[in-house]
Amino acid sequence: QVQLVESGGGLVQAGGSLRLSCAASGRTFSSYVMGWFRQAPGKQREFVARIWWSGGSTYYADSVKGRFTISRDNAKNTVYLQMNSLKPEDTAVYYCAAGPLRSRSSSQYDYWGQGTQVTVSS
């Protein structure tokens, strides 16, 4: 059974940092793309960043480029999202996802974690 488990969310002041983790288990993800998405109250789920598990190539939403960094640790089967210079508008539930295609669309991802709350106070 495939499992993606996020951790690392919390409350932080504007300008602060958090690192989210996504531990993957249940299958081999070497050919998969790992993505981070977020959903704020009353808004649609939006793409944040993605990384190709094997090659490590990355892609970011314009809203987080230069502030967030996605990375992976193959030995630990874990993907990270380092978030710096956080803003109140980054407040959302953050989800980890896995899929076979390099896509910004949530519909292209097959597996999802349960989400972790990130709250940035002003």
Side-chain angles (χ1 to χ4, degrees):
Q1 184 176 356
V2 173
Q3 269 199 316
L4 300 177
V5 180
E6 303 100 332
S7 61
L11 173 64
V12 64
Q13 288 189 329
S17 298
L18 282 174
R19 188 177 81 156
L20 305 183
S21 299
C22 172
S25 63
R27 65 158 293 143
T28 301
F29 288 93
S30 59
S31 61
Y32 268 59
V33 175
M34 303 299 294
W36 284 99
F37 289 77
R38 66 187 182 186
Q39 188 166 18
K43 294 188 176 181
Q44 288 190 333
R45 191 168 297 188
E46 66 172 354
F47 170 81
V48 175
R50 68 169 188 254
I51 187 167
W52 186 28
W53 197 280
S54 292
S57 63
T58 58
Y59 186 80
Y60 298 91
D62 288 343
S63 58
V64 306
K65 201 173 297 183
R67 300 188 298 122
F68 291 11
T69 302
I70 188 171
S71 62
R72 86 263 191 252
D73 184 330
N74 291 352
K76 295 183 178 180
N77 246 20
T78 300
V79 176
Y80 303 98
L81 185 68
Q82 177 66 43
M83 305 186 295
N84 298 329
S85 302
L86 283 162
K87 306 175 181 180
E89 51 263 44
D90 294 318
T91 295
V93 176
Y94 283 71
Y95 297 91
C96 174
L101 301 175
R102 302 183 195 188
S103 175
R104 299 166 55 100
S105 173
S106 59
S107 65
Q108 298 299 318
Y109 289 78
D110 300 326
Y111 305 106
W112 291 84
Q114 82 288 348
T116 185
Q117 176 71 47
V118 172
T119 303
V120 184
S121 63
S122 56

